[in-house]
């Protein structure tokens, strides 16, 4: 891969599809995508710059055929609705530890890189309610 961020729907989906392909080609353990904080002109995925610590930014991991993400209760309802639109996907596991505020969701997703990329972008837009031009970073492949 030669680029690791994108901020338009078309570029993000291409970036995500390329990341899935790189993950599969390399046989890496997982790939991780993060959304930049809203209204943030620059996002440093290594955390080298001072960032507001108000709340964690949304992230999405993909490993082999499974998406992994953390959601609030409201976001959980939205992710369930989104998964319903992808018949080849299914929620396999919901885990809500007593020590955490939210739910970890594991979604089996057997599909091609472009369909996985579309789902990933829609997670950020519809589940995490990011604006149309949000910036996403592939921070691990």
């Amino acid at each position: 891969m030669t680029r690791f961020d994108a901020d338009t729907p078309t570029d993000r989906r291409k970036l995500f599809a390329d990341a899935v392909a790189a993950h599969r080609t390399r046989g890496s353990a997982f790939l991780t995508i993060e959304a930049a904080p809203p209204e943030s002109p620059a996002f440093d995925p290594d955390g080298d710059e001072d960032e507001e610590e108000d709340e964690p930014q949304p992230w999405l991991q993909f490993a082999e055929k499974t998406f992994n993400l953390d959601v609030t209760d409201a976001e959980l309802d939205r992710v369930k609705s989104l998964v319903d639109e992808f018949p080849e996907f299914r929620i396999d596991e919901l885990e809500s530890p007593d020590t955490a505020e939210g739910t970890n969701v594991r979604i089996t997703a057997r599909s091609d890189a472009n369909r996985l990329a579309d789902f990933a972008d829609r997670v950020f837009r519809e589940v995490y309610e990011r604006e149309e031009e949000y910036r996403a970073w592939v921070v691990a492949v």
Side-chain angles (χ1 to χ4, degrees):
M1 288 183 55
T2 58
R3 63 188 180 95
F4 296 94
D5 72 307
D7 62 3
T8 66
T10 300
D11 288 345
R12 283 192 308 267
R13 288 184 177 125
K14 175 145 181 34
L15 174 68
F16 299 164
D18 289 348
V20 168
H23 161 71
R24 289 176 170 167
T25 299
R26 295 175 184 178
S28 64
F30 58 87
L31 76 89
T32 303
I33 304 166
E34 293 181 5
E39 300 179 21
S40 173
F43 173 64
D44 182 4
D46 296 323
D48 293 337
E49 293 182 18
D50 292 332
E51 289 184 34
E52 292 184 25
E53 299 284 332
D54 292 344
E55 63 183 67
Q57 296 308 311
W59 56 270
L60 179 65
Q61 283 189 326
F62 181 74
E64 297 193 21
K65 295 178 177 82
T66 304
F67 280 109
N68 180 33
L69 61 154
D70 288 339
V71 295
T72 64
D73 291 342
E75 292 166 345
L76 179 59
D77 290 338
R78 293 191 295 265
V79 81
K80 286 178 178 178
S81 293
L82 180 59
V83 169
D84 286 345
E85 295 181 36
F86 289 77
E88 67 274 32
F89 293 14
R90 75 171 185 272
I91 295 175
D92 280 335
E93 186 177 340
L94 299 173
E95 186 177 344
S96 299
D98 293 336
T99 58
E101 294 181 25
T103 302
N104 179 261
V105 182
R106 293 189 184 263
I107 301 166
T108 297
R110 293 186 172 98
S111 195
D112 64 81
N114 290 324
R115 185 91 163 135
L116 297 171
D118 181 46
F119 179 80
D121 191 48
R122 290 186 62 191
V123 164
F124 287 108
R125 292 268 301 119
E126 297 172 23
V127 175
Y128 293 126
E129 298 183 320
R130 285 302 196 240
E131 68 280 356
E132 181 75 19
E133 302 298 319
Y134 78 92
R135 179 172 299 279
W137 291 82
V138 174
V139 296
V141 178

